[in-house]
Amino acid sequence: MPQPLPLTLYGADDCDDTEHTRDRLRAGRIPFREISIDHDPAAEQFVRFINNGYRSTPTLVFGAGSWKLVLTEPTAEQLVQALRQAGYVLPD
């Protein structure tokens, strides 16, 4: 079975959506790296670039290298779908 794609969560300190997404990932025991755009100017610039100038959080990036899946402000259903697409095994 192939390894799931690595996951990076770009979030903001005072963002409820970031908190909810982080909690869902932790509850599902999904490994992820978190970067606060409040403390990392390069990360904030990346998030703005990906989101047409908006500081949208959470922004999730699955993958590394030349192929990535980007998901911005996902619903619970979108998050589950993206996790499965990225190769994570989730309970039904």
Side-chain angles (χ1 to χ4, degrees):
M1 177 185 254
Q3 284 288 104
L5 296 173
L7 172 57
T8 302
L9 168 77
Y10 292 89
D13 295 346
D14 63 347
C15 175
D16 289 340
D17 290 338
T18 295
E19 184 178 340
H20 292 298
T21 299
R22 179 189 314 113
D23 290 347
R24 286 189 192 113
L25 293 171
R26 286 181 179 158
R29 299 188 187 271
I30 304 297
F32 66 98
R33 183 177 127 196
E34 184 172 357
I35 299 174
S36 172
I37 66 171
D38 292 327
H39 305 287
D40 187 329
E44 181 180 4
Q45 183 178 12
F46 171 75
V47 165
R48 286 183 184 273
F49 175 78
I50 290 296
N51 295 299
N52 299 315
Y54 293 98
R55 197 175 184 272
S56 301
T57 57
T59 295
L60 295 104
V61 178
F62 295 87
S66 62
W67 191 90
K68 296 176 187 69
L69 170 67
V70 177
L71 190 62
T72 302
E73 298 177 350
T75 64
E77 295 80 19
Q78 290 169 332
L79 179 59
V80 167
Q81 182 181 10
L83 288 166
R84 287 191 171 134
Q85 185 178 350
Y88 291 93
V89 177
L90 305 172
D92 289 328

